[in-house]
Amino acid sequence: MTRKGFGLRAIAIGGFAATVMAAVPAAHAEDKMVVFAAASLKDALDAVNKACEADVGEAATVSYAASSALAKQIEGGAPADAFISADLDWMKYLSDKKLTKPDTEVKLLGNEIVLVAPKDSTVETKIEKGFDLAKLIGDGKLAMGDFKAVPAGKYGKAALESLGVWSSVEGKVAQAENVRAALKLVSTGEAPLGIVYATDAHAEKGVKVVGTFPEDSHPPIIYPVAQTADSKDKDTPAFLKCLQSAKAGALFKEQGFTVLTPSN
């Protein structure tokens, strides 16, 4: 295996266990509020968490990973007070198992998926029905989240199927454990193209947006939030309220998210 090939495998596959282990913080034992959040939220939520600290009474300890991995950890008893998923499916997965407080669930944010390339790439295309993505990828790989579980990967596969190009590129996909890992494969040049959220592209200066996938080519991208059923931290309701505030909304919009909730 080449050094480059090893890098793809290490980031896309080998990092999964480390991500899952890292997402379970020790801070909860110290009575700190713990939030499990989709990896794509990192830059925006870090800023919101800091801005909300005075209103909430504490800063949350936030663990970022794929929504699928986080949901499975909560199911397994991981100590989280709130969960922010990058799709409705993984929130429903937990709510169906009575692991969330249904009355706290809110559709918080929206996003888009885009095709990205390294910043110095000369690739150009128009994303439309039947566009020749396989030719653009060439002998390289298309980086995207695990399309069987990671929301960004699921959205990406749905879009490619809708546009009639999935079958031509399925064998060229390098699956990553979360969308930020897929983004890294592109920014470091390990993959010539990738599918990530528009907000990820906004946060990473090492990539450029080649095109945006049509909104009607995939299910709506919605980030729901809810308090977990086993949450014990008294400040969690205040944190969820602050996430829906005008100041939080401004910070989310700054990173490219669409705010779906009216400001408090």
Side-chain angles (χ1 to χ4, degrees):
M1 183 181 290
T2 65
R3 181 184 297 270
K4 188 170 184 178
F6 179 80
L8 277 169
R9 183 173 181 178
I11 295 174
I13 301 172
F16 180 77
T19 300
V20 171
M21 290 176 67
V24 182
H28 203 276
E30 302 168 8
D31 295 323
K32 295 281 289 184
M33 176 175 34
V34 175
V35 176
F36 279 11
S40 52
L41 286 164
K42 180 168 174 44
D43 296 81
L45 191 56
D46 279 353
V48 169
N49 188 26
K50 184 176 180 180
C52 286
E53 182 175 359
D55 294 338
V56 174
E58 64 172 307
T61 297
V62 186
S63 290
Y64 298 101
S67 301
S68 50
L70 295 173
K72 289 288 189 178
Q73 288 175 57
I74 292 171
E75 181 185 17
D81 294 294
F83 174 50
I84 313 177
S85 174
D87 71 358
L88 297 173
D89 289 347
W90 284 109
M91 185 63 76
K92 184 176 186 300
Y93 178 86
L94 291 182
S95 62
D96 284 351
K97 296 177 181 293
K98 303 189 185 306
L99 294 173
T100 64
K101 296 181 178 180
D103 60 327
T104 67
E105 186 175 329
V106 173
K107 293 177 181 177
L108 186 66
L109 302 168
N111 210 336
E112 295 179 305
I113 50 171
V114 297
L115 185 68
V116 293
K119 65 179 179 180
D120 57 354
S121 172
T122 58
V123 170
E124 293 182 358
T125 192
K126 180 180 180 181
I127 297 178
E128 59 187 358
K129 197 83 170 177
F131 79 111
D132 198 350
L133 181 56
K135 182 178 179 180
L136 295 174
I137 299 168
D139 294 330
K141 292 288 186 178
L142 175 67
M144 55 192 291
D146 176 359
F147 53 75
K148 292 182 180 178
V150 175
K154 292 162 62 180
Y155 292 129
K157 179 184 178 185
L160 295 178
E161 286 179 331
S162 174
L163 296 172
V165 300
W166 173 251
S167 60
S168 67
V169 301
E170 183 177 4
K172 296 175 179 284
V173 172
Q175 296 187 71
E177 78 268 15
N178 62 57
V179 70
R180 286 299 174 97
L183 181 69
K184 187 173 182 180
L185 290 175
V186 180
S187 68
T188 58
E190 293 282 329
L193 290 169
I195 298 176
V196 299
Y197 295 117
T199 52
D200 295 310
H202 178 277
E204 174 53 69
K205 304 308 179 187
V207 303
K208 71 172 188 177
V209 175
V210 177
T212 301
F213 285 88
E215 189 176 328
D216 61 1
S217 68
H218 55 79
I221 300 174
I222 297 173
Y223 289 66
V225 59
Q227 187 172 3
T228 62
D230 289 338
S231 171
K232 301 293 192 297
D233 191 278
K234 61 180 176 56
D235 294 323
T236 303
F239 180 79
L240 297 186
K241 182 178 180 181
C242 194
L243 288 180
Q244 301 169 61
S245 67
K247 65 180 174 182
L251 291 169
F252 284 128
K253 288 177 182 177
E254 195 175 285
Q255 293 294 327
F257 287 97
T258 301
V259 175
L260 302 180
T261 59
S263 299
N264 292 321

